[in-house]
Amino acid sequence: MKITKKYKIVSLFSGCGGMDLGAEGGFAYLGKRFKKHPVETVYATDFDKSICDVYNANFSLKIDVRDIKELKSKDVPDHDILTGGFPCQSFSVVAQNPRRLGYKDDRGKLFFEMCRILKDKKPSVFVAENVKGLLSANKGEAFPLIIKEFERAGYHIKYKVLNASHYGVPQKRERVFIVGFKNKKTYDRFEFPKPVTESNPVPLSMIVLPNHEVEEKFYFSAKAVNGMSATKHSKTMNKGRVQKLHEPSNTVGAHLAKVSLNSTDPVLQVNGRYRMFTPLEVARIQSFPDSFVLPGSRTTNYKALGNAVAPVVMWHVTKEIIRALES
Ligand SMILES: C[S@@+](CC[C@H](N)C(=O)[O-])C[C@H]1O[C@@H](n2cnc3c(N)ncnc32)[C@H](O)[C@@H]1O
């Protein structure tokens, strides 16, 4: 495979840059090198200032902090690949004939902002990532309409739910990846990456910190444990909250900022005590390299990391996109 071109990437809803890091490559994770892809991120944007600070601490490109609704297409640089995990909002698709998205109040919702940039800038490829629940949103009616809208923007679409634990990430995170191509031949060539660790997933024990490196503040108090013990969850810590070290972790989400023993957040049990994951552990569960800097408050870091696309999964997806573009 001869790689000749450097593809320009524009990143929307960039958060702390999990998707951007994965698309670019050039990082190490769990002793493995994920090589640099022939791409260059030329523009990134998000409206959350504190999360943008995390982005800026890790990339030479400075992120444009603004609401996407205020982003004019003419201010977006020309590019080849548009990336973005548009936040999943509910869509009205009821009582319409023919059924479509964007009826009345839905106009201006963030999904349409991504479509707007696609229509105006016409990059060769786009990648959108979202929660698996998007497939069943609006009783399963929204997703086909989302795909139709992307097709109307001029793209041939493939989509697939990818489980991060199948790609060497110690987390059972399932996310839908939607990839669109302007060119039909490139679309025909593209295949989602084949699983690499489906039968031998990386266990959580690979990334958990030794006890002496975990500060006391990450442990739940006796009061919190007693409170939990009084509930029906006490015996089993059911809903999968206490994580098994020999398996990948349950999905870590932005909610970890408010982790509690009485919710479904994943927690650890160490020597009979309960504790939350540290931000460094969440970063590792998400496949960020240890070199990824986490400035700002713990709350910001949990939110940024929990919302991120697992870089290693995005790296595999990007590798296949480049293969399709180059071959
Ligand atoms: C799922 S997160 C994206 C994570 C990112 N792709 C990553 O891999 O790290 C969605 C992002 O959309 C941003 N967002 C939500 N509404 C927005 C808006 N109106 N304008 C710009 N960004 C917005 C949020 O701040 C959040 O960082």
Side-chain angles (χ1 to χ4, degrees):
M1 187 171 66
K2 192 164 147 252
I3 296 178
T4 48
K5 192 173 165 188
K6 201 161 195 190
Y7 297 96
K8 290 193 170 65
I9 296 183
V10 159
S11 160
L12 306 177
F13 311 110
S14 314
C16 68
M19 207 170 186
D20 301 17
L21 179 64
E24 286 184 9
F27 62 94
Y29 177 69
L30 292 181
K32 207 173 160 239
R33 186 88 202 139
F34 292 85
K35 73 173 173 48
K36 177 91 187 75
H37 287 135
V39 302
E40 179 191 6
T41 308
V42 293
Y43 178 80
T45 183
D46 196 289
F47 78 163
D48 187 321
K49 168 81 175 68
S50 56
I51 289 177
C52 289
D53 289 343
V54 182
Y55 190 101
N56 284 339
N58 287 284
F59 296 88
S60 51
L61 176 82
K62 293 305 155 226
I63 193 167
D64 185 11
V65 186
R66 73 166 94 188
D67 191 316
I68 195 162
K69 290 179 201 140
E70 264 110 59
L71 176 63
K72 295 197 174 60
S73 298
K74 69 173 177 52
D75 294 334
V76 177
D78 290 343
H79 56 284
D80 307 290
I81 304 173
L82 183 75
T83 64
F86 55 90
C88 176
Q89 300 161 300
S90 57
F91 294 97
S92 301
V93 288
V94 283
Q96 298 172 49
N97 192 14
R99 298 207 152 192
R100 61 193 170 88
L101 289 177
Y103 185 68
K104 290 187 180 167
D105 299 344
D106 281 340
R107 280 290 159 208
K109 281 202 169 162
L110 301 170
F111 160 71
F112 292 104
E113 299 298 325
M114 186 159 183
C115 288
R116 169 173 66 83
I117 309 276
L118 285 173
K119 283 178 193 156
D120 293 345
K121 300 298 295 185
K122 303 181 176 44
S124 310
V125 188
F126 80 84
V127 189
E129 182 262 15
N130 221 294
V131 292
K132 190 182 163 192
L134 190 68
L135 296 169
S136 50
N138 275 88
K139 299 191 177 126
E141 290 183 24
F143 192 73
L145 297 176
I146 286 170
I147 298 298
K148 204 178 277 174
E149 201 69 25
F150 278 135
E151 285 170 348
R152 277 171 44 180
Y155 291 84
H156 304 282
I157 309 293
K158 288 185 182 173
Y159 66 88
K160 191 167 185 182
V161 173
L162 300 181
N163 185 325
S165 72
H166 297 174
Y167 297 91
V169 179
Q171 183 188 182
K172 300 171 197 161
R173 189 184 196 85
E174 291 187 297
R175 290 291 184 265
V176 59
F177 284 76
I178 307 168
V179 184
F181 296 89
K182 273 250 166 261
N183 181 292
K184 175 75 166 58
K185 285 197 175 121
T186 316
Y187 158 85
D188 286 337
R189 282 196 296 262
F190 174 77
E191 281 178 34
F192 280 97
K194 295 195 173 46
V196 280
T197 52
E198 189 170 2
S199 54
N200 56 332
V202 177
L204 186 53
S205 56
M206 287 290 284
I207 65 86
V208 168
L209 290 169
N211 292 346
H212 68 272
E213 286 182 26
V214 180
E215 290 174 62
E216 184 59 31
K217 66 184 177 194
F218 293 104
Y219 286 86
F220 290 100
S221 66
K223 195 173 159 211
V225 176
N226 288 340
M228 182 272 295
S229 304
T231 72
K232 61 185 166 60
H233 308 308
S234 60
K235 282 212 175 59
T236 53
M237 286 290 284
N238 67 356
K239 300 185 187 170
R241 291 168 300 171
V242 169
Q243 300 301 294
K244 299 187 178 87
L245 288 175
H246 61 277
E247 287 181 5
S249 165
N250 283 4
T251 302
V252 292
H255 189 250
L256 276 189
K258 295 187 184 130
V259 67
S260 133
L261 278 176
N262 284 321
S263 68
T264 55
D265 305 311
V267 296
L268 284 172
Q269 196 176 26
V270 186
N271 299 335
R273 297 181 68 198
Y274 296 104
R275 73 164 174 89
M276 61 187 82
F277 290 115
T278 69
L280 174 59
E281 287 171 324
V282 178
R284 288 177 173 181
I285 289 171
Q286 279 280 57
S287 75
F288 282 86
D290 278 6
S291 55
F292 198 81
V293 185
L294 295 172
S297 71
R298 255 202 290 161
T299 305
T300 294
N301 289 323
Y302 282 130
K303 191 171 163 199
L305 294 167
N307 265 336
V309 176
V312 164
V313 179
M314 185 62 187
W315 184 88
H316 283 282
V317 172
T318 308
K319 185 173 169 220
E320 295 308 320
I321 289 172
I322 289 165
R323 194 198 298 277
L325 286 168
E326 299 278 335
S327 50

